[in-house]
């Protein structure tokens, strides 16, 4: 039985990975400090004999007893609102946290996969973005804390591979959505659906001409799984190339939810990328991977999830456990 450590396990992607690795017959050690993660996302696994939750911040020394085959490092605030609120923690988990986990992987002889991001491309001048594009990142802008932490994370991961022969894998994740996203994390999809459910206008930032390409979570998890089991050490983009402007996306959400509210325009956040679309040729070629879930289908499932949440959840303005962790 393979033993897997998943960090950020109570988060959106981490919790879906826990489900997948349990389904694959692995023993899963799920680690999270619960700054942005929510225990609700994994409570269905708590009674499982092959699942063990550890409440820990990986920016501090990480101890795991017994053997480990794989480490999947998915701990990080990952929405612009989160990393603006907790910039230092964002920098630490991408840098110190990654260093601690690489050390653990080395000590255990485990293979380590890190969750990188399309943000390493910044506001890209090449479109769509292939893995060999180096990016256009403002290191001191509001997104710098996330972008640079993730770029450092890739650099230190490659260094451990080259100098310590560690088995490493790097996935660059593009915008991903699905059930268990936090309704109040500021990302565009939960923002729009939350607004529709509360009977508020939908807030489009800027003129809405900026583009994104949204990947359904099951496709992303499949990409992670295939990359982990592959022997490819360089970064691989995983995302859905189906690109859409944010204005068009707002119209799709209006149609999906049946809301009678309108779109209102707000100021565009600083360094908000103008366009983003993954070039997934490498994932196709190396992983034989292809996104399978169309946006219309994925949005239906995601909307059903958000509709099932309580009133309290729907009106919660902030994540309840933020404050206690901010030092
Ligand atoms: N956005 C928007 N309205 C919102 C939230 C976000 O128009 O209420 C825009 C945001 O400016 C960006 C896009 O939607 O251009 C995607 O934002 P998100 O925070 O989901 O992710 P990003 O890809 O920017 O990290």
């Amino acid at each position: 039985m393979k033993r897997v450590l998943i960090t950020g396990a109570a988060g959106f992607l981490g919790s879906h990975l826990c489900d997948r690795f349990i389904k694959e017959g692995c023993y899963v050690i799920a680690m999270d400090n619960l700054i942005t993660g929510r225990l609700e996302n994994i409570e269905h696994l708590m009674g499982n004999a092959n699942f063990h939750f550890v409440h820990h911040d990986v920016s501090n020394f990480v101890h795991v007893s017994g053997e480990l085959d794989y480490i999947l490092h998915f701990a990080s605030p990952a929405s612009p609102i989160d990393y603006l609120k907790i910039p230092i923690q964002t920098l630490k988990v991408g840098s110190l946290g990654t260093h601690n986990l690489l050390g653990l992987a080395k000590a255990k002889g485990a293979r380590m996969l890190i969750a990188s991001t399309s943000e390493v491309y910044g506001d890209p001048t090449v479109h769509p973005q292939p893995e060999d594009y180096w990016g256009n990142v403002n290191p001191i802008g509001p997104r710098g804390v996330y972008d640079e932490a993730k770029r450092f994370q890739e650099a230190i991961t490659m260094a451990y591979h080259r100098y310590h022969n560690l088995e490493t894998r790097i996935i660059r994740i593009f915008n991903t959505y699905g059930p268990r996203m936090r309704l109040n994390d500021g990302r565009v999809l939960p923002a729009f659906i939350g607004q529709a459910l509360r009977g508020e206008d939908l807030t489009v930032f800027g003129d809405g001409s900026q583009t994104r390409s949204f990947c359904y979570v099951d496709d992303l998890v499949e990409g992670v799984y295939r990359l982990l089991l592959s022997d490819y050490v360089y970064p691989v983009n995983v995302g859905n190339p189906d690109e859409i402007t944010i204005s068009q996306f707002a119209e799709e959400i209006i149609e999906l939810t049946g809301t009678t509210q309108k779109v209102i325009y707000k100021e565009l956040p600083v360094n908000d990328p103008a366009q983003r679309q993954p070039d997934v040729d490498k994932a196709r070629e190396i992983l034989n991977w292809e996104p399978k879930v169309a946006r219309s289908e994925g949005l239906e499932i995601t909307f059903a999830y958000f509709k099932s949440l309580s009133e309290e959840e729907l009106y919660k303005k902030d994540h309840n456990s933020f404050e206690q962790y901010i030092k």
Side-chain angles (χ1 to χ4, degrees), residues 1 121 220 227 299:
M1 178 183 256
Y121 303 123
L220 190 278
L227 178 61
L299 284 180

Side-chain angles (χ1 to χ4, degrees), residues 237-249:
N237 289 337
V238 175
N240 191 323
D242 187 2
E243 185 181 8
I244 184 174
T245 68
I246 294 302
S247 288
Q248 288 170 319
F249 190 57

Side-chain angles (χ1 to χ4, degrees), residues 4-24 26 28 30 41-42 44-45 51 71-75 113-115 171 173 180 217-226 228:
V4 190
L5 170 66
I6 299 176
T7 75
F12 164 48
L13 295 181
S15 64
H16 285 280
L17 286 167
C18 289
D19 286 339
R20 175 64 186 260
F21 280 84
I22 287 288
K23 217 169 106 194
E24 296 292 340
C26 298
V28 173
N41 289 342
I42 46 171
H44 59 287
L45 296 171
F51 183 81
I71 298 176
L72 288 92
H73 184 24
F74 277 71
L113 181 146
I114 58 155
I171 185 167
I173 299 171
R180 302 186 194 151
V217 63
D218 288 358
D219 284 333
L220 190 278
V221 167
E222 183 63 31
V224 172
Y225 192 73
R226 289 185 187 210
L228 179 72

Side-chain angles (χ1 to χ4, degrees), residues 61-62 66 68 71 100-110 160 166:
F61 184 86
V62 183
L68 272 183
I71 298 176
N100 289 333
L101 293 162
L102 286 164
L104 179 67
K106 183 165 153 269
K108 302 279 186 187
Y160 265 72
L166 195 72

Side-chain angles (χ1 to χ4, degrees), residues 80 119 143 175 186-188 191-192 203-205 210 212 246 269 272 276:
E119 283 285 328
R143 289 174 179 254
N175 294 69
R187 287 174 168 280
V188 67
F192 284 173
T203 53
V204 167
F205 297 163
Q210 71 272 34
R212 294 294 185 272
I246 294 302
D272 197 284
R276 187 184 285 152

Side-chain angles (χ1 to χ4, degrees), residues 45-311:
L45 296 171
M46 290 297 187
N48 192 309
N50 295 331
F51 183 81
H52 179 61
F53 176 70
V54 182
H55 186 191
H56 181 66
D57 181 346
V58 297
S59 298
N60 302 314
F61 184 86
V62 183
H63 171 77
V64 171
S65 24
E67 291 175 12
L68 272 183
D69 297 287
Y70 304 125
I71 298 176
L72 288 92
H73 184 24
F74 277 71
S76 177
S79 87
I81 286 214
D82 286 351
Y83 46 75
L84 284 174
K85 278 188 190 151
I86 42 174
I88 314 286
Q89 286 82 355
T90 304
L91 279 157
K92 283 170 75 177
V93 73
S95 54
L96 306 180
T98 304
H99 187 213
N100 289 333
L101 293 162
L102 286 164
L104 179 67
K106 183 165 153 269
K108 302 279 186 187
R111 180 179 298 178
M112 166 118 162
L113 181 146
I114 58 155
S116 188
T117 165
S118 55
E119 283 285 328
V120 300
Y121 303 123
D123 189 0
T125 55
V126 170
H127 193 74
Q129 294 79 55
E131 288 85 350
D132 57 8
Y133 174 53
W134 293 348
N136 178 35
V137 170
N138 175 4
I140 57 165
R143 289 174 179 254
V145 297
Y146 184 63
D147 300 6
E148 296 297 358
K150 289 294 185 179
R151 289 169 69 98
F152 173 86
Q153 181 182 47
E154 290 197 9
I156 193 171
T157 299
M158 286 310 297
Y160 265 72
H161 171 68
R162 291 184 174 124
Y163 289 93
H164 293 306
N165 278 323
L166 195 72
E167 287 193 37
T168 54
R169 306 288 180 264
I170 300 174
I171 185 167
R172 289 191 182 146
I173 299 171
F174 283 66
N175 294 69
T176 300
Y177 70 97
R180 302 186 194 151
M181 289 183 98
R182 254 173 39 232
L183 199 51
N184 56 12
D185 80 353
R187 287 174 168 280
V188 67
L189 184 143
F192 284 173
I193 292 186
Q195 287 160 347
L197 288 173
R198 289 188 299 267
E200 298 165 6
D201 290 333
L202 273 61
T203 53
V204 167
F205 297 163
D207 64 5
S209 63
Q210 71 272 34
T211 68
R212 294 294 185 272
S213 310
F214 298 97
C215 181
Y216 186 64
V217 63
D218 288 358
D219 284 333
L220 190 278
V221 167
E222 183 63 31
V224 172
Y225 192 73
R226 289 185 187 210
L227 178 61
L228 179 72
L229 298 188
S230 79
D231 56 7
Y232 192 74
V233 298
Y234 296 105
V236 179
N237 289 337
V238 175
N240 191 323
D242 187 2
E243 185 181 8
I244 184 174
T245 68
I246 294 302
S247 288
Q248 288 170 319
F249 190 57
E251 292 306 322
E252 282 192 7
I253 300 293
I254 287 174
E255 185 153 338
L256 171 78
T257 58
T259 177
T260 53
Q261 304 298 311
K262 59 182 189 310
V263 166
I264 54 170
Y265 293 87
K266 295 210 163 174
E267 209 178 320
L268 188 69
V270 176
N271 298 145
D272 197 284
Q275 41 178 208
R276 187 184 285 152
Q277 183 195 32
D279 176 333
V280 291
D281 284 353
K282 195 148 268 166
R284 285 197 181 102
E285 181 197 327
I286 292 166
L287 311 178
N288 193 23
W289 175 91
E290 192 81 48
K292 298 249 163 65
V293 183
R295 199 166 54 245
S296 54
E297 189 189 338
L299 284 180
E300 287 285 353
I301 303 168
T302 310
F303 181 44
Y305 166 78
F306 283 126
K307 266 199 298 197
S308 74
L309 297 178
S310 66
E311 283 273 300

Side-chain angles (χ1 to χ4, degrees), residues 312-325:
E312 192 202 340
E313 225 23 79
L314 188 59
Y315 285 92
K316 205 189 275 176
K317 278 277 174 279
D318 208 347
H319 188 261
N320 50 5
S321 60
F322 259 158
E323 273 65 34
Q324 76 188 82
Y325 284 100

